[in-house]
Amino acid sequence: MAPLRGRSQELGQLLDALRSAGNGRASLAVVSGEPGIGKSALLAATVEQAERQGFLVASAAAHQNDNISPLASLAPALRAGPEPLIGTDDFLELASLNTQPLWLAERLADLIGRRLAGSRTLIVLDDAQWSDPLTAFVLRVAIARLSAAKLLWLLGSRPGTMPDQLIDAVSDQVPVHHLPLQPLTADAIQDLAADRLNHAVDPALAAQLAGVQGIPFLAEQLVAGLYLSDANVSGPLPTGLVEGVRRRTSGLSELSRDLVRTAAVFGSEFNLEDVAVLMAAPVARLAAPLEEAIQAGLVTDAGSVLRFRHELLRSAALADVPPSAQRALHGAIANQLMSAGRGAAAAAPHVLAVAQAGDVAAVETLREAARDLLATMATTAAEIIHDAFDLTRVDDPLRAEVGVEVVSVLLAARQYDRAKAFADDLLSGTALYLGPITPELQATVRLHLAPYQWAGRRLDVQELAGADPRLAAYRALAGADVPGPSDDPVAQAVLQVAAAERARAEGSYADARDLYVAARQAETGLGSLPDTLVEVGELYCRAEADELPAALERVRELMTAGESWWAPQLAVLRARLEYAAGNLQEAESAANSGLRWMDQLHDRTLAPAADQVLALIALARGHLTQARKLAGSDPTITTLLAIADGDANAVRRLAVTRQDFPDRITLLLQADAADELARLSPSAASRGALAVVAAGNDVTQLLEAVEVVRTANRPLLLALAEERLGRAALAAGDRQTGVPALERALDRLTALGATAPAGRIQAVLQAAGVRRRRWAAVPPRAQEGWEALTPMERRVALLVAEGHTNRSAAEELVLSASTVGTHLRAVFGKLGVNSRVQLARLVLERFAPPPNA
């Protein structure tokens, strides 16, 4: 390999990144610059060094037509070499996930991670600006997922393209090295030329090299004799390069020149068979002319396809084809691809190259292309259907029809904000569309949007105006007055979901479940709600109606087989149900997966719900600082923190927990909220919790109540009920009942990892004189900070912060003033304060408003 000239600093940075990757510090490096600046040469030098150091290297380059095939850009890197990153069977399995991008990206990241298994690896993608949308999405997911691997991702790209967005997306997960390449110095250019010539540069050539303005590709072409005049790649195509290609092709046969020019119209990558058809020549006759073009250094044979050696060479060859001839060739290519059954998607770029406003045939081809690509390449489909819309005239009724498709495809590509803005412009009489805005058009567009607005909690009653029964049903779903029954099946289903959500808000979970089920069985059509999201509501209600194990099994199934666009909603639901089932580790994993997927899909609507579950888990483990960070403005988590900090009065506030709070029944039991428990749908959990509250300290009634709770499959709820039973029995002197009940609760909580309540029960047992060979491994109390305070020290701190004297605090706590003073000195030491004023300030920072207010 020829020496890399003038890039020692950039190569050094990449070698540093390689060394870091070898030490387990994954990162992303992006080499950017204009065409011909030397990106590919720098990537090749890095690959050579990585291979010398024993790195596993996977490399590929994206191409201009990749955006019509899913994963076309990255797949060659994954499948290259005798030991590819992804095996054949696994790769074929991935193909079945093309319509589920999030599941595909997660599976692919998992496969790569297993294949690497500690290996030092370099994954390279050149010309990343042409990456297909699925490759761009997969890179964002995989780079974040594999942040702990010994892996360097290396991309070459033009400025202002996909990799710039990738840098923004992953910079929080991995270090990013951005290397924008500048033109080479005059000395570096002359060294490069000398390397190619194998001798020193003479003065005449040196003078000509000054005209390449530091662009190594142009210097190489100059040395190769492709051009002789000045060049400037930042402006129009260098005239010298065009002239050089003409001069190089002048030595070719006429047929070879025609082949090069025709191929240039096809694109940077082409098939000889297609060129042969267009030239009306047998493939065999073009074999020799093709070899001429290869020997001239214009084209390379990649096996399955042919490629121009550089995009600038193709552009130079294309510049020698008159515009009228280019248009005719593009039209012929489009017709040829369509008639050969290659599909509208393959023909679309050539249609766009020649189509003009009002070209109905071109519009129909583009619409067909968008439909063909929608399932696997929704982002590309969105751009193509928008191009079709732009080709229609502003007053043509066809423009409204295509406009509706634009909204539909943008929504399918999950570009909601763009779809909403386009729809509003389409229906508002702007210059976007000057044709008639009929009630039917209004209803059609709004019904496309409505399901996505419901999914994102964005339904607006004012936007749903109209006589259409489906719009009326959505108005009811948005909280407006409920219309009468409708014969329209879609409207019926939407009304059933509206009724289900009202029943759910009232705690009537069994009724809500049945309504969700009925809605899912309805006939679908325009305006139908997403089935997965309706099932999410159904499963939550099933869990609250004594069907927790079945609901949990179903949501686990949907996490791998359901619609990946709804992954965050499924993850949050699973986190809630796993928590209710006492599976704290699984709940934590699901909540974190949901947050990760929200970031990947750029929608954090459900982040507070995921944080809520994580805060509950942190509280169960006694990690109060972590819970406080996650609490946000959630009033219930804040109340639970106040209780953990010693504020006994806060328990009453748990009675106003909102209906859909995870494992709400446990909180209502903790608050003795009999009225709220009585209003819930009858279930084993609600009946048992109500019976526990009603029993008070009656051991006999508590025994019966605990047996009811035992049938509910709610381990945390059962542990709390057993704790109540145990404490009441001990208070009544019944150790035979109390100690086993408390031990069962302790063992259950310890097994679940709920160390905070386990520690509380263990303290009760130890105070009761119970001896065990080995107690549960309850984490030791912190030595400083708020977590270091005992419950009594916290209560003293809170009262003093509110302005109590030692004496008034003692009266409140039924202690002596000297005992309060002892606790207060311990508080000062553990919190690092030395005055009541400092203590009050610290408490106010921790609690807003003060906990006993």
Side-chain angles (χ1 to χ4, degrees), residues 42-60:
L42 180 56
L43 266 58
T46 307
V47 166
E48 182 185 33
Q49 292 295 324
E51 289 175 336
R52 286 181 180 177
Q53 297 175 31
F55 273 70
L56 172 64
V57 176
S59 181

Side-chain angles (χ1 to χ4, degrees), residues 779-832:
R781 187 182 300 279
Q783 297 302 305
E784 59 184 22
W786 195 266
E787 280 73 19
L789 303 184
T790 66
M792 184 56 71
E793 287 168 354
R794 290 175 186 169
R795 296 188 67 186
V796 169
L798 294 171
L799 290 170
V800 170
E802 290 179 359
H804 281 271
T805 64
N806 285 12
R807 184 172 300 280
S808 63
E811 292 174 356
E812 181 81 16
L813 298 172
V814 195
L815 297 173
S816 69
S818 62
T819 301
V820 169
T822 300
H823 286 312
L824 187 58
R825 285 191 294 275
V827 169
F828 280 9
K830 292 177 181 179
L831 297 184

Side-chain angles (χ1 to χ4, degrees), residues 252-260 262 272-273 275-293 306:
L252 304 179
S253 65
E254 183 64 30
L255 192 57
S256 182
R257 290 197 297 273
D258 287 345
L259 185 152
V260 169
T262 304
L272 184 61
E273 295 85 348
V275 175
V277 172
L278 202 62
M279 294 177 64
V283 172
R285 188 182 171 204
L286 294 181
L290 173 62
E291 183 61 27
E292 292 181 57
L306 297 160

Side-chain angles (χ1 to χ4, degrees), residues 323-337:
S324 58
Q326 289 188 37
R327 288 180 55 80
L329 284 170
H330 277 301
I333 290 170
N335 291 334
Q336 174 187 323
L337 293 174

Side-chain angles (χ1 to χ4, degrees), residues 183-191 193 201-215 218-220 222-223 227-233:
L184 295 179
T185 64
D187 289 343
I189 287 290
Q190 294 205 27
D191 289 341
V201 172
D202 60 50
L205 179 58
Q208 289 180 308
L209 286 170
V212 305
Q213 297 187 353
I215 306 301
L218 299 182
E220 291 179 351
L222 174 61
V223 172
Y227 84 103
L228 297 175
S229 59
D230 293 344
N232 176 14
V233 298

